[in-house]
Amino acid sequence: MQPPKAADDASDAEPRPDKARQEPGTDAEGSSGHLAGSTLSTSEEALTERVSGDEPLLPARVHRPSDLLRLLIGVLAVVVLFSVAAFAHGTTTGLEQDINKGTGQAPDLLIKLAGLVSSIAVLLVPVAFAIERLIKRDGLRIADGVLAAVLAHGVTLATDLWVAKSASGTVQDALTQPTPGDAVTDPVHGYLAPVIAYMTAVGMARRPRWRVVLWVVLLLDAFAMLVGGYTTPFSIVLTVLIGWTVAYGTLYAVGSPNVRPTGQHLMAGLRHVGFRPVTAMRAEDAPDSGDQSDRGRRYLVSLEDGPPLDVTVVDREQQAQGFFYRVWRRLTLRGITQRRSIQSLRQALEQEALLAYAAIAAGANAPKLIATSELGPDAVMLVYEHIGGRSLDALEDAEITDAVVRGAWHQVKALQSRRIAHRRLTGDAILVDRFGKVFVTDLRGGEIAAGDLVLRMDVAQLLTTTGLRVGPERAVAAALAVLGPDAVADSLPLLQPIALSRSTRAHLRRLARERSQREREAVLDASDAAKRAKAEGAELPDEGDAGRKAARKSLRTEKQAEKRAMDDALEEAREEDLLSQIRREVLLIRPQAPVEPVRLERIKPRTLFSFIAGAIAAYFLISQVTQADFGAVVEQAEWGWVAAAVGFSALSYVAAAMSLLGFVPERVSFGRTVLAQVAGSFVKIVAPAAVGGVALNTRFLQRSGVRPGLAVASVGASQLFGLGCHILLLGAFGYLTGTEKTPSSLTPSRTVIAGLLTVAVLVLVVTAIPFLRKFVVTRVRSLFAGVVPRMLDVVQRPQKLLTGIGGMLLLTGVFVMCLDASIRAFSGPDTPHLSYASIAVVFLAGNALGSAAPTPGGMGAVEGALTLGLIAVGLPKEVAAPAVLLFRLMTLWLPVLPGWLCFNHLTRKGEI
């Protein structure tokens, strides 16, 4: 264990009244409430009071992840309920008819009696529970319940108002019942939802007797209202969900009373299992590494006789730490057994005890488990022999000898001989005592009978952990000396960030940021040195044409020399990351070792987000498309305008080639550039629109003879200039669109003014917040280090600059004309005519949204934005929907086959 955090106030077993203090974290029922259900005798409790433990103050309230999880589940259930009510009208109607038919034969007297009893009980039960809590001095729980009831009442009123004013007819039919006088029942019961929120927040469901009474009252009330025709099944379910969700949202927001066991309860638990503790000092907590946040609280306990003990206390709050992270890892990683996201305390206790015994049986140096016990219903403790020493993270670099590193590998070899996986071989899991003996600790997250993949992950993790401290050479050498070259080489495919612990990934990301910063500084220093050399050697040019030509030639030479110096400085400053260095060291011993990373991710965050965004967009498009009569639309389509849309779509690739070559001073074939842009239409289908084209153009320029750094700078300059042109055109056309209705005043619309004010506010926010300001300045600085010098080269060649600008304007123009032709293809005589300015604004806004969306080709986002935009500027949705589909067919789907052919052709020729 690590050194204690503070010395104890009492070093012997004698009472110290002057040092006595109330242990924090107790609730209003007294400290004994933490140990409800324990079997400590009165004499043991009295003796425990003579011993005091020293530890940091525990917070009075905690925000439980379990409350947040229940809140999210409740919100999701409410959304599902509204979705079913909105789209499954036949199901809701049939369910109501079946219930009415089944309850129609119930005796009238029974219905009235049930209603009377439930209406009285639903008010008396909460009051009775409140009185019981107040008698036991637990007023904070009552306050939490009252707050939850008030919030639930507010949510109920808001839901009733929304259903009555804005909800669709199907939702209203599912949640309300007609009453005499052309009125309807309330969608949510205004008295029942607050009662449910109150009873949930005060914890009635956790007490068996009160839980039975609660369910009886709720079922009786629901039966009475359903049979009496005062509500619907969906209304009852919605009422329960709102009360339940608001209660857990309130508990998570304000926090729940902290019932975690304190040092005094630990001392009592130790005496209960036969020890005679004197002091209990809280061990120094390691920095919160995220993946070890559920490791438990650790104490160093001294006894009246015998060596000290290391005690780990795990409670429900710590057991819930990292829940969402474990769920995400379980969903996204394939082929890896993750421990259950939700474990009971009993399961956690048994798993850690089993691993402790198994590790020692395998011959590894691990802490010996002496005893285990429960500390009431909400915590458990594990008692180990005291080892002493310091963790690998706490050692100085000079103290980590080769013997220490080999000792760590010997522990892994012993564990893997019995197929035991540790799963957390970070620096704080390796302990070194004062004699240099290495121990492996924190076995709680390990695995028995582990598979080959998990065992290889342990090797990759320890390689990275030791490499971070002693360097890749010594780390690999120690691993080879203990495990042998074959076992180490087999771990190379697992040497990837996703297979490492969260704290290790964070450390690697920090090192990567530091390397990038050093590279940027080296490039900027080289640029500054070249500018100083140019300033020192500058001479006044001679008069006349010959002097001016010589001056321009000298300026170009100096620019080229500056770029070469920047590229050379970047190459010299570039460093390999740690994982690449480890692979290189292993390949020196086993050149034939597999290095291709194993695919561990089942699903990536970008893929999940793309799927969700695509599903939302698909739903929107389907709802729009199903309302259009495509048969009549296609019959009335003007095929001349369809042909025009095809022509404008083909012309866009010529414009794209011009916009790229305008920022490349080197000579590149125009025809091959056009083919590369057509190939980009195929790449857009398999990659986001803002990523695939950039990568393909950069690769094409490199294959065309442009140096890698200059190719990246050229594409970056094209993208930067395109962004500026896009913003200027959007603002200009937006201004013109706003002045169309009042051309004499030339007053822009309120939307344009609101947009400009929003941009101004965002700029002020970025400049006012230091973190955002530093982030933007860093990115802009790196941009100016490479892209801006390239743009300066282009500015010196007016022909190239005109080509780039003309290509940008032509590209926007042909897309606007293609969209206009698509609209005209489906427009009838009564269809309002849209100006080119309005169409341009819709296209530019939709294209910007598509570039920002992570979906391939902006699928879903572009269609939705264009359709909404056209409807907003006055085009009927019966025309807007097919027009957008035709436009996307011409610009996204139709060019896929030619793009695939061009992509294969350029690949065979070695040009991409």
Side-chain angles (χ1 to χ4, degrees):
M1 290 295 173
Q2 297 181 10
K5 185 169 186 178
D8 189 68
D9 293 330
S11 59
D12 52 36
E14 294 300 322
R16 299 281 296 272
D18 56 320
K19 296 292 184 180
R21 61 181 175 90
Q22 174 67 33
E23 283 292 330
T26 59
D27 59 10
E29 296 180 22
S31 60
S32 61
H34 294 289
L35 295 173
S38 66
T39 59
L40 295 177
S41 65
T42 306
S43 60
E44 287 177 329
E45 292 181 352
L47 189 57
T48 301
E49 294 176 356
R50 301 171 56 204
V51 185
S52 64
D54 184 47
E55 63 176 332
L57 292 176
L58 297 177
R61 285 178 172 266
V62 291
H63 301 279
R64 296 176 176 174
S66 57
D67 293 337
L68 177 60
L69 176 63
R70 292 185 177 97
L71 168 64
L72 297 177
I73 292 175
V75 172
L76 179 61
V78 171
V79 173
V80 171
L81 179 69
F82 276 117
S83 301
V84 172
F87 302 110
H89 182 260
T91 302
T92 58
T93 304
L95 180 61
E96 291 178 10
Q97 291 176 353
D98 292 340
I99 292 177
N100 293 333
K101 182 179 180 180
T103 58
Q105 300 177 355
D108 186 63
L109 179 61
L110 177 62
I111 297 175
K112 293 182 179 180
L113 182 62
L116 178 62
V117 173
S118 62
S119 61
I120 297 175
V122 81
L123 298 177
L124 289 183
V125 170
V127 175
F129 186 78
I131 294 174
E132 188 229 10
R133 289 290 90 196
L134 290 175
I135 292 175
K136 293 188 177 182
R137 299 180 180 180
D138 196 6
L140 287 178
R141 294 184 186 274
I142 303 303
D144 294 342
V146 172
L147 177 60
V150 172
L151 294 177
H153 184 64
V155 173
T156 299
L157 294 178
T159 305
D160 288 344
L161 183 62
W162 174 78
V163 171
K165 301 295 184 182
S166 304
S168 62
T170 55
V171 173
Q172 293 179 356
D173 293 340
L175 297 176
T176 59
Q177 285 273 30
T179 60
D182 295 333
V184 293
T185 60
D186 292 333
V188 183
H189 301 283
Y191 71 91
L192 189 57
V195 170
I196 294 175
Y198 167 83
M199 293 189 293
T200 304
V202 298
M204 287 184 64
R206 291 193 295 269
R207 289 168 170 80
R209 295 179 180 177
W210 289 102
R211 181 170 61 243
V212 172
V213 174
L214 171 64
W215 280 108
V216 169
V217 170
L218 290 180
L219 292 176
L220 195 61
D221 188 74
F223 171 77
M225 288 188 297
L226 277 175
V227 175
Y230 299 111
T231 187
T232 66
F234 280 84
S235 176
I236 292 178
V237 175
L238 179 62
T239 301
V240 174
L241 287 177
I242 288 179
W244 191 74
T245 304
V246 172
Y248 284 112
T250 305
L251 290 178
Y252 185 76
V254 303
S256 301
N258 193 350
V259 295
R260 300 172 71 175
T262 64
Q264 293 290 345
H265 303 117
L266 170 63
M267 307 291 260
L270 288 171
R271 289 191 176 276
H272 182 60
V273 293
F275 296 101
R276 299 182 63 84
V278 177
T279 60
M281 292 181 290
R282 178 79 176 271
E284 183 69 32
D285 289 331
D288 187 10
S289 58
D291 53 348
Q292 299 201 25
S293 57
D294 60 344
R295 60 189 306 171
R297 289 178 290 154
R298 296 176 296 172
Y299 294 86
L300 175 61
V301 178
S302 61
L303 304 178
E304 293 182 3
D305 52 351
L309 304 173
D310 289 329
V311 182
T312 300
V313 177
V314 181
D315 54 48
R316 294 191 185 278
E317 299 305 323
Q318 289 170 319
Q319 185 69 9
Q321 292 292 327
F323 168 79
F324 296 105
Y325 174 73
R326 292 194 297 271
V327 170
W328 177 250
R329 294 274 290 185
R330 192 177 185 89
L331 291 175
T332 57
L333 295 186
R334 62 172 70 194
I336 300 176
T337 303
Q338 290 284 116
R339 76 176 177 89
R340 290 179 57 184
S341 300
I342 301 179
Q343 273 188 323
S344 67
L345 287 173
R346 168 64 63 177
Q347 290 171 332
L349 176 68
E350 293 173 349
Q351 180 181 10
E352 186 166 352
L354 174 62
L355 285 163
Y357 293 135
I360 294 177
N365 297 329
K368 183 179 180 181
L369 183 64
I370 302 175
T372 60
S373 179
E374 292 185 352
L375 293 179
D378 296 321
V380 295
M381 71 173 180
L382 299 100
V383 184
Y384 294 93
E385 284 186 350
H386 178 64
I387 296 175
R390 292 176 293 168
S391 68
L392 194 67
D393 286 343
L395 294 177
E396 299 292 338
D397 292 341
E399 297 178 287
I400 307 178
T401 63
D402 291 339
V404 170
V405 181
R406 286 195 298 270
W409 282 110
H410 279 297
Q411 308 315 308
V412 173
K413 183 178 181 180
L415 292 175
Q416 296 201 351
S417 67
R418 301 295 177 85
R419 306 198 69 82
I420 301 173
H422 188 283
R423 304 296 298 272
R424 287 179 173 179
L425 286 172
T426 54
D428 52 359
I430 307 297
L431 204 65
V432 183
D433 66 6
R434 61 181 181 275
F435 302 109
K437 188 176 181 180
V438 180
F439 291 80
V440 59
T441 63
D442 291 337
L443 290 161
R444 184 180 175 198
E447 185 176 329
I448 301 293
D452 291 336
L453 187 65
V454 180
L455 296 178
R456 290 158 61 195
M457 285 178 64
D458 267 2
V459 177
Q461 174 64 59
L462 190 56
L463 276 173
T464 309
T465 298
T466 54
L468 289 171
R469 295 305 311 273
V470 302
E473 297 86 358
R474 292 175 60 190
V476 173
L480 292 173
V482 177
L483 298 183
D486 294 333
V488 177
D490 288 342
S491 69
L492 289 188
L494 278 302
L495 203 63
Q496 48 182 309
I498 190 63
L500 305 177
S501 66
R502 191 193 301 188
S503 59
T504 304
R505 295 199 302 271
H507 197 168
L508 293 176
R509 285 194 297 268
R510 181 174 60 81
L511 294 178
R513 289 194 297 268
E514 293 175 356
R515 287 197 306 271
S516 300
Q517 182 64 27
R518 288 194 294 270
E519 292 174 2
R520 286 193 294 267
E521 291 176 353
V523 171
L524 293 176
D525 292 342
S527 177
D528 294 339
K531 291 178 181 178
R532 287 195 300 269
K534 180 178 65 175
E536 293 173 357
E539 298 179 359
L540 293 175
D542 297 334
E543 296 294 335
D545 294 339
R548 286 192 292 271
K549 291 180 180 179
R552 287 195 295 268
K553 183 177 180 181
S554 175
L555 182 60
R556 287 195 297 270
T557 303
E558 291 170 353
K559 287 289 184 183
Q560 294 174 358
E562 181 181 354
K563 288 195 291 289
R564 285 195 298 270
M566 293 169 60
D567 291 339
D568 294 340
L570 181 61
E571 291 296 331
E572 293 177 2
R574 185 170 286 120
E575 307 173 19
E576 272 189 318
D577 63 279
L578 177 65
L579 301 184
S580 299
Q581 295 179 44
I582 294 175
R583 292 190 193 96
R584 178 165 47 81
E585 292 294 327
V586 176
L587 290 175
L588 293 177
I589 307 299
R590 280 287 188 271
Q592 71 277 14
V595 295
E596 187 67 25
V598 175
R599 184 180 177 185
L600 298 176
E601 287 183 295
R602 180 182 291 113
I603 184 173
K604 296 182 178 180
R606 176 182 295 174
T607 305
L608 181 62
F609 182 80
S610 301
F611 175 78
I612 295 174
I616 295 174
Y619 165 73
F620 171 77
L621 289 176
I622 291 174
S623 63
Q624 294 292 329
V625 168
T626 53
Q627 298 179 10
D629 186 1
F630 277 96
V633 169
V634 172
E635 291 178 359
Q636 300 173 2
E638 298 187 20
W639 294 100
W641 285 111
V642 175
V646 174
F648 288 128
S649 176
L651 186 59
S652 66
Y653 298 101
V654 178
M658 293 173 57
S659 64
L660 176 62
L661 293 181
F663 297 92
V664 182
E666 292 82 4
R667 294 184 61 85
V668 179
S669 171
F670 183 80
R672 290 200 302 270
T673 306
V674 174
L675 292 179
Q677 305 313 303
V678 178
S681 62
F682 166 70
V683 176
K684 286 192 301 183
I685 298 299
V686 296
V691 177
V694 172
L696 186 138
N697 286 330
T698 302
R699 180 69 173 173
F700 170 73
L701 292 180
Q702 292 178 9
R703 290 291 189 176
S704 299
V706 183
R707 297 179 62 184
L710 299 180
V712 174
S714 295
V715 176
S718 175
Q719 293 290 318
L720 180 63
F721 193 90
L723 175 63
C725 183
H726 195 103
I727 295 174
L728 291 176
L729 289 176
L730 183 59
F733 285 119
Y735 184 89
L736 293 176
T737 303
T739 59
E740 285 177 352
K741 295 182 180 181
T742 56
S744 59
S745 62
L746 293 180
T747 301
S749 65
R750 294 182 178 179
T751 304
V752 176
I753 296 176
L756 295 176
L757 292 177
T758 302
V759 172
V761 170
L762 290 177
V763 171
L764 291 176
V765 170
V766 170
T767 55
I769 300 177
F771 170 75
L772 295 177
R773 183 171 64 248
K774 182 180 179 181
F775 177 83
V776 173
V777 168
T778 302
R779 297 302 185 273
V780 172
R781 190 180 182 187
S782 62
L783 177 67
F784 273 73
V787 174
V788 174
R790 193 65 165 168
M791 294 183 68
L792 293 177
D793 292 340
V794 176
V795 170
Q796 298 175 11
R797 300 186 179 186
Q799 183 179 0
K800 284 284 186 180
L801 184 61
L802 290 176
T803 301
I805 296 175
M808 295 287 180
L809 297 177
L810 179 61
L811 184 62
T812 303
V814 295
F815 275 131
V816 172
M817 296 301 295
C818 182
L819 181 56
D820 178 68
S822 301
I823 295 173
R824 292 176 183 272
F826 298 102
S827 296
D830 299 331
T831 303
H833 176 68
L834 300 182
S835 65
Y836 288 112
S838 300
I839 298 175
V841 169
V842 172
F843 164 74
L844 292 171
N847 188 52
L849 183 60
S851 299
T855 55
M859 285 186 290
V862 173
E863 287 84 352
L866 292 179
T867 305
L868 284 176
L870 292 177
I871 294 175
V873 296
L875 194 67
K877 61 182 178 181
E878 293 79 7
V879 178
V884 169
L885 293 180
L886 176 62
F887 174 75
R888 293 291 281 172
L889 177 66
M890 298 301 170
T891 58
L892 180 65
W893 298 108
L894 194 61
V896 169
L897 181 59
W900 178 73
L901 296 175
C902 292
F903 184 84
N904 288 334
H905 173 74
L906 294 176
T907 302
R908 287 195 303 270
K909 295 292 184 180
E911 295 177 353
I912 57 174

